[in-house]
Amino acid sequence: MSVTPDDEGFMAAAIRLSRRHLGRTATNPSVGCVIVKDGVVVGQAVTALGGRPHAEPQALAEAGDLARGATAYVTLEPCSHHGKTPPCAEALIACGVARVVISVTDPDPRVSGRGISMLREAGIAVDAGVLEAEGRRSLAAYLTRQTKNRPYVTLKLAVSADGMIGRQGEGQVAITGPEARAEVQTLRAETDAILVGIGTAISDDPLLTVRTPGLEAQSPIRIVLDPLLSLPLTSKLVATARDVPVILVASEEISPLGSEEGSPPSVLPGISPARGEIGKRRDPNFQGSGSPFATEDVGQGATSQPISPPVGEMPGRAEGGASSVDATDADARRVALEAAGVEIVYCNPYHPEVLLPALATRGISSLLIEGGAKTAKLFLEAGLLDRIQLYQAPVVIGEGGIESPVQATDIPSGFTHMGTQLFGVDRLDEYEREN
């Protein structure tokens, strides 16, 4: 059956629906499903919070008997395997749906094409690839974790008219207006984790939570690249660690096992088998190929070689931290941080090609990088960014400004400009890496 404009319209509605629970469905993707009969929507649903139930059985339940002979529009190929819930393909068959329209085929090897085959073998007409580009964008985090064994990484920067992202020694500086800042809160709510460097964590003392009324519970996991455990115990991050998770990525050189005679070797270069090791709570639904810490194909342009520490943040000297750390002092800080609810992992902060796959094993499918300039440059140089959100504001920072690591005039090659939006007096340009 040929795809019609009506098919595209209903699929667009399913894609919009799927975005409602982005960042809130754990390791499962946020999928939208719309059931249509005689041109009328009779059932619709999005993957439930936490990842279950899936969208299809919820939409079918809402449609009831009207699902028989109807068309189901689904943003991702219905699952075909028995997990914690029965296959969605079986549910569609049992309810007598006549046709299924799919946006994106699932790369999960347990599904990939099998859901479509099950439907067709049951006599159901299937059309796949409808609004696929739009569907892939809505599922970008899930697809990246499945195919590249790492989270989908977004860099967000707010840049002044003179190309600065802040001012030295002044902590947080308001560059964008309230409309743009509200949009950033929405982005945080759709993201699994947010990452900053220790310099930003110390100078800005940020919360990194979602502060939009009604969305506070959607705050992402907060990650700080903190080689020497320099995060102050009085910081807002530490004070709220029991409310919203905080993970510090420390150097394996200060791991409590690193100096113990006869301690076991690292699981992989850059990751130590100490308490809080990133891979400790491996996602049971992870379906990446090979080792969960595989570094191949972690990103276009990525390197498997160690990334040089950012200038001003050399080994043994964390940006904003002490030039050296006594082993006893490091252990005392570790104990105090963990007592406050902070999780510490030992993975070289300058190896993003190792850190990102390790985060994926924790079920983190999307990662937002918000600061600072050196951390942004680290991921830019590693070739491990999938999207750049560049806010440009009319504010002038002037003397003492911190130069942005990237501007609209020097976006890295391989990125496509996806569009421009205005938020008050601020302009947002969005760029995505070409596949």
Side-chain angles (χ1 to χ4, degrees), residues 11 31-36 42-45 54-80 86-103 111 114-127:
M11 183 59 76
V31 174
C33 177
V34 175
I35 311 292
V36 178
V42 295
Q44 58 182 336
H54 293 180
E56 295 93 325
Q58 294 182 83
L60 290 168
E62 183 176 295
D65 292 339
L66 293 176
R68 189 162 298 278
T71 297
Y73 295 86
V74 189
T75 58
L76 183 67
E77 178 183 4
C79 60
S80 57
C88 292
E90 286 187 0
L92 291 163
I93 294 169
C95 288
V97 169
R99 180 176 176 235
V100 176
V101 181
I102 299 166
S103 179
V111 181
R114 293 184 177 90
I116 292 175
S117 295
M118 284 179 63
L119 295 170
R120 286 178 172 159
E121 289 170 3
I124 296 174
V126 179
D127 287 294

Side-chain angles (χ1 to χ4, degrees), residues 303-368:
T303 172
S304 60
Q305 299 301 312
I307 304 299
S308 298
V311 175
E313 191 174 351
M314 302 304 290
R317 180 179 178 84
E319 178 189 4
S323 59
S324 63
V325 112
D326 179 81
T328 302
D329 181 58
D331 190 60
R333 293 184 59 77
R334 174 182 61 81
V335 171
L337 287 164
E338 291 179 342
V342 174
E343 181 178 1
I344 301 171
V345 301
Y346 298 93
C347 173
N348 191 318
Y350 309 122
H351 284 260
E353 80 288 352
V354 174
L355 174 62
L356 291 180
L359 292 177
T361 70
R362 295 286 292 269
I364 294 176
S365 299
S366 54
L367 179 68
L368 173 62

Side-chain angles (χ1 to χ4, degrees), residues 295 298-304 353 382-384:
T295 56
V298 292
Q300 182 178 335
T303 172
S304 60
E353 80 288 352
L384 289 168

Side-chain angles (χ1 to χ4, degrees), residues 64 83 118-119 127 129 145 147 150 153 162 168 194 196 268 292 310 353 356 360 390 433:
M118 284 179 63
L119 295 170
D127 287 294
R145 188 167 68 93
T147 61
R150 64 168 177 81
V153 183
D162 54 346
Q168 294 284 357
I194 184 170
V196 298
L268 193 76
E353 80 288 352
L356 291 180
L390 195 63
R433 185 179 293 281

